């Protein structure tokens, strides 16, 4: 039976074996043993294509006597093995290209790693197509010193021979605290640092796509409260300083379905509402400024929440949404009558080349039936010189790109009240 997993912690394990021998340096000069192992901290960032490890930080007391100019991008080589914790299969194994090396203010070494759209070996998640879920990988980094570090004042070479595992650090993801509702629904919450307004702060509810829910079938017990933040920038975008300035401070709530919202919209709607009510009861939130945003499965769920709770939300932003077959068959469905009854200000976003949820049958259809709704229909999904799958139109909302009547989508949301 698979091991139950509730919260993922990515680890760096691995050690340099025989680094002193590789460098031709006497073993006695390997100071890591004298001063403790080297702590290796992987630093990750959620890019438009998902989370990647973008650098490593090496911390050790032995580094205090290193001549800093002796560090170069070729001092260390980096190898990674990524294993799926559910299947036990190796998702990838390879060397990672070190693009730069430097020093932090606290005297640790930072190794920049090649990353970006189309770069292999950096991702922290694997999509299990048979189950339609993203799983956070177990990462095993092996660091090997292949060039000497000079000691200060001619004190001889410093060789790092022993490394110990450290926790993955992603400052944007880590800014969201972990919670579970009274009914057992996982959620993450970002709290604003300032500017909460006379009546309290706004609340943005982010509803993830189908790949970011839990996997509690087929013998698996995987419900991590992680993937809804690590798979894309949907929730994180609203926690950026830029978005916080636009909203004047906003809480960001990111619930995680136990499966996929589309599988049981009727069952999930009260659970999402319960999480919202728990957050509004515990924090100073302006209930006239609660906004619901969702992509794909979450786009359906954002419409479902408005249909079920028509007076709760100040605005709704369904992205590449699904509304179900018009005969009401299937596991999800937003009826024509429900669409026509929606009075919540709505801004729909999609790309015309979306092959996952046809924009004409879903986004355009909904737009034509929701009175006064706004629609941003892009030709494709291109950002920062990269072209992404057409379904990934959530990138535009996470980057505050859609505009209407001179206002960006964040500005429109921030000035909309119930």
């Amino acid at each position: 039976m698979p091991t139950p997993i509730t919260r993922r912690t990515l680890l760096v394990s691995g050690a340099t074996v025989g680094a002193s021998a590789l460098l031709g340096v006497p073993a006695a000069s390997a100071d890591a043993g004298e001063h403790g192992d080297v702590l290796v901290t992987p630093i990750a960032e959620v890019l438009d294509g998902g989370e990647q490890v973008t650098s490593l930080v090496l911390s050790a007391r032995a580094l205090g006597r290193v001549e800093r100019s002796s560090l170069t991008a070729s001092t260390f080589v980096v190898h990674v093995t990524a294993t799926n914790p559910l299947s036990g299969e190796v998702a990838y194994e390879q060397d990672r290209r070190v693009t730069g090396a430097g020093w932090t203010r606290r005297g640790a070494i930072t190794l920049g790693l090649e990353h970006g759209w189309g770069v292999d070996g950096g991702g922290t998640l694997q999509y299990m197509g048979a189950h339609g879920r993203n799983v956070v990988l177990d990462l095993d980094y092996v660091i090997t010193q292949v060039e000497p570090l000079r000691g200060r004042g001619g004190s001889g070479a410093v060789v790092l021979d022993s490394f110990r595992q450290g926790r993955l650090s992603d400052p944007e993801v880590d800014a969201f605290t972990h919670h579970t509702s009274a009914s057992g629904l996982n959620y993450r919450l970002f709290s604003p640092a300032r500017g909460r307004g006379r009546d309290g702060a706004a609340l943005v509810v982010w509803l993830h796509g189908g790949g970011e829910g839990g996997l509690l079938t087929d013998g698996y017990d995987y419900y991590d409260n992680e993937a809804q933040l690590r798979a894309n920038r949907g929730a994180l975008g609203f926690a950026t300083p830029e978005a916080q300035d636009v909203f004047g401070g906003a809480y960001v709530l990111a619930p995680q379905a136990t499966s996929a919202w589309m599988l049981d919209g009727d069952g999930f709607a009260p659970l999402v509402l319960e999480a919202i009510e728990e957050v509004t009861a515990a924090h100073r939130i302006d209930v006239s400024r609660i906004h619901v945003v969702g992509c794909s499965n979450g786009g359906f769920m954002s419409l479902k929440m408005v249909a079920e709770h028509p007076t709760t939300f100040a605005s709704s932003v369904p992205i590449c949404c699904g509304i179900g077959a018009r005969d009401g068959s299937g596991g999800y469905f937003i009826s024509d009558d429900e669409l026509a009854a929606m009075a919540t200000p709505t801004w729909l976003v999609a790309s015309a080349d979306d092959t996952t949820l046809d924009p004409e049958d879903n986004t355009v259809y909904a737009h034509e039936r929701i009175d006064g709704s706004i629609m941003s229909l892009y030709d494709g999904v291109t950002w920062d010189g990269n072209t992404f799958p057409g379904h990934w139109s959530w990138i535009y909302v996470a980057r505050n790109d859609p505009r209407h009547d001179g206002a960006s989508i964040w500005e429109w949301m921030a000035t909309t009240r119930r």
Side-chain angles (χ1 to χ4, degrees):
M1 292 292 290
T3 301
I5 300 169
T6 55
R7 282 181 58 182
R8 297 298 318 152
T9 298
L10 281 76
L11 301 178
V12 175
S13 61
T16 62
V17 178
S20 356
L22 283 172
L23 294 168
V25 175
S29 67
D31 279 17
E34 297 177 25
H35 299 282
D37 294 340
V38 181
L39 173 64
V40 183
T41 303
I43 309 298
E45 180 182 350
V46 180
L47 310 175
D48 293 306
E51 189 180 56
Q52 294 187 14
V53 174
T54 58
S55 64
L56 302 174
V57 174
L58 314 183
S59 307
R61 290 179 61 191
L63 297 176
R65 71 174 186 86
V66 171
E67 177 60 51
R68 293 192 173 189
S69 62
S70 66
L71 173 68
T72 72
S74 58
T75 301
F76 299 93
V77 294
V78 176
H79 187 83
V80 62
T81 303
T83 305
N84 185 309
L86 301 188
S87 67
E89 297 178 352
V90 174
Y92 60 82
E93 180 179 3
Q94 66 181 76
D95 291 336
R96 294 208 59 190
R97 188 167 78 87
V98 178
T99 58
W103 295 88
T104 70
R105 292 181 180 178
R106 295 187 175 183
I109 289 174
T110 179
L111 302 178
L113 302 176
E114 183 181 20
H115 60 275
W117 180 241
V119 175
D120 294 328
T124 66
L125 302 120
Q126 182 183 37
Y127 184 71
M128 299 178 66
H131 302 284
R133 296 292 181 274
N134 279 303
V135 175
V136 181
L137 296 166
D138 289 329
L139 302 181
D140 183 4
Y141 274 90
V142 176
I143 318 301
T144 306
Q145 184 179 345
V146 295
E147 292 183 356
L149 292 166
R150 295 192 307 274
R152 291 177 178 172
S155 58
V158 176
V159 178
L160 306 178
D161 269 322
S162 179
F163 294 77
R164 63 185 173 91
Q165 60 191 25
R167 182 184 180 277
L168 179 78
S169 174
D170 186 325
E172 288 188 300
V173 171
D174 295 343
F176 284 71
T177 52
H178 290 257
H179 304 272
T180 302
S181 73
S183 297
L185 190 73
N186 281 345
Y187 66 90
R188 300 289 291 272
L189 181 67
F190 174 85
S191 300
R194 57 183 178 80
R196 305 185 184 187
R198 184 181 64 184
D199 299 318
L203 172 63
V204 178
V205 181
W206 170 259
L207 300 175
H208 61 74
E212 289 75 71
L215 181 54
L216 303 175
T217 60
D218 300 328
Y220 294 115
D221 185 9
Y222 186 83
Y223 189 42
D224 65 356
N225 210 9
E226 300 285 344
Q228 75 266 39
L229 298 183
R230 300 189 188 277
N232 58 56
R233 295 195 56 78
L236 302 184
F238 291 101
T240 59
E242 295 81 6
Q244 290 293 305
D245 285 344
V246 170
F247 281 88
Y251 289 86
V252 184
L253 168 64
Q256 185 183 37
T258 52
S259 55
W261 307 118
M262 281 181 174
L263 294 178
D264 188 9
D266 290 335
F268 281 125
L271 299 182
V272 172
L273 183 65
E274 179 185 55
I276 293 171
E277 290 175 340
E278 285 187 10
V279 171
T280 56
H283 302 277
R284 191 164 172 267
I285 289 171
D286 184 348
V287 295
S288 72
R289 294 192 294 151
I290 301 176
H291 309 273
V292 61
V293 188
C295 69
S296 190
N297 250 258
F300 154 78
M301 200 62 200
S302 65
L303 289 168
K304 180 69 173 176
M305 292 303 297
V306 169
E308 295 292 325
H309 307 286
T311 63
T312 297
F313 301 101
S315 74
S316 171
V317 180
I319 309 165
C320 55
C321 66
I323 56 174
R326 302 326 296 157
D327 61 3
S329 62
Y332 67 97
F333 182 62
I334 305 293
S335 71
D336 286 1
D337 287 344
E338 287 174 319
L339 293 171
M342 289 183 181
T344 299
T346 303
W347 190 328
L348 299 111
V349 179
S351 177
D353 64 344
D354 188 338
T355 57
T356 301
L357 286 168
D358 184 273
E360 290 292 332
D361 293 342
N362 293 280
T363 296
V364 175
Y365 190 96
H367 169 59
E368 290 173 346
R369 285 156 181 79
I370 301 174
D371 187 39
S373 64
I374 302 167
M375 181 177 68
S376 293
L377 185 62
Y378 291 85
D379 293 332
V381 182
T382 300
W383 193 259
D384 198 24
N386 298 311
T387 298
F388 299 92
H391 190 51
W392 293 17
S393 49
W394 52 78
I395 291 173
Y396 289 121
V397 176
R399 298 296 186 180
N400 194 29
D401 189 71
R403 301 189 70 83
H404 177 75
D405 284 347
S408 71
I409 195 164
W410 292 353
E411 292 168 336
W412 172 82
M413 292 172 63
T415 56
T416 304
R417 284 172 168 74
R418 178 169 57 82

